Amino acid sequence: MPQSPSKSRPKKRTQAIATKREGGFYKQMKEAAQRSSRKLLLTRIENWVGAGIPDLLICDESGAFHLVELKYMTGNAVTLQPSQVAWLARHDHASCWILIKRQRSALEPAECFLYRAKDAVDLKMDGLAAVEPVFHCDQPFDWEKLFGLICPT
């Protein structure tokens, strides 16, 4: 007897696409860091390390660490997992950030939004429209400004 298609299949496919695009966003950010006047070391954190830990660790010139959750999206809903929201909420006193790249269509420039970890719950519940970003810009992204906010000197 043929099995009916799983109702969760589209969600998994959407998550897989977002993960792939987040990987491209990381690559874009790493290349920008290499061109930057700053001496920043970017390390991608694999998701098997621990539930909810952000995707990216940045070590700045002074040896300080900064954690960044990278997200790629096409609409207004931010797809933070409950473990990510919990982790960010527990560490909202540290240098922890949410960096979102939104690409609504191939015809429009991408946008970049930077939020503090303390905004994770509101972003998850209400999306981009409900939370004021620390910084917002259209592509081409102002990486120097973004790195300066994430890793102040």
Side-chain angles (χ1 to χ4, degrees), residues 7-22:
K7 291 183 181 178
S8 65
R9 189 169 292 165
K11 184 177 181 182
K12 287 182 182 180
R13 179 171 163 74
T14 302
Q15 288 173 342
I17 291 169
T19 301
K20 182 178 179 183
R21 291 181 177 167
E22 285 169 14

Side-chain angles (χ1 to χ4, degrees), residues 1 6 27 29 47 59 73 76 115 119 122 134-135 138:
M1 178 190 285
S6 170
K27 184 178 177 185
M29 190 173 185
N47 62 2
C59 182
M73 57 189 288
N76 286 322
Y115 295 93
D119 296 322
D122 291 335
V134 172
F135 181 69
D138 291 332

